Amino acid sequence: MSLTVAGGPTRVEISLALGPVVARSDIGGLCAGLAERLRGGPGGTVVCDVARVARPDVVTVEALARLRLTARRLGWRLVVTGAGPALVELAGLLGLVEVVREAEKWEQPGGVQEVVDAGDPPA
């Protein structure tokens, strides 16, 4: 894991990169290291680059979910970049696609179509 800080007085951004392999035994240390770095900070965005992850698996998704939770608990937002189709698909199968996709995009995972109920009020 590497951390760098960028930004000015109004924006703080911390970069985090995951290596080619994430082991379940690494997750606690990743979260503790991130919490230590974020604690007492002004809040902002943690950008987690997963482009180097060689073979995304359930442990990778778990690590991202726990890192996101750690950031949120400390008033930060975690954004994942570099997620390939395999990681996005796996996160979707686990019901955690929001971990690797921005919720603000309002995209439905894996070809799911949103159905509008005639009884719903207009948007």
Side-chain angles (χ1 to χ4, degrees), residues 58-107:
V58 173
V59 175
T60 307
V61 176
E62 179 184 352
L64 291 171
R66 289 189 48 197
L67 286 166
R68 183 175 188 225
L69 182 60
T70 299
R72 279 188 168 189
R73 285 180 175 162
L74 295 168
W76 290 72
R77 183 173 148 231
L78 185 122
V79 176
V80 175
T81 62
L87 180 55
V88 173
E89 183 178 359
L90 180 58
L93 289 171
L94 296 171
L96 295 169
V97 75
E98 73 277 0
V99 171
V100 294
R101 284 195 176 168
E102 279 298 294
E104 292 81 15
K105 289 183 182 176
W106 296 98
E107 291 180 358

Side-chain angles (χ1 to χ4, degrees), residues 1-7 11-19 30 34 37-38 43-53 63-64 67-68 70-72 75-83 99-100 102:
M1 171 176 79
S2 63
L3 291 173
T4 58
V5 179
R11 186 182 111 178
V12 176
E13 186 175 286
I14 293 181
S15 296
L16 164 70
L18 295 184
L30 287 169
L34 181 62
R37 179 65 189 98
L38 301 181
T45 303
V46 176
V47 179
C48 183
D49 183 7
V50 295
R52 289 184 28 215
V53 173
L64 291 171
L67 286 166
R68 183 175 188 225
T70 299
R72 279 188 168 189
W76 290 72
R77 183 173 148 231
L78 185 122
V79 176
V80 175
T81 62
V99 171
V100 294
E102 279 298 294

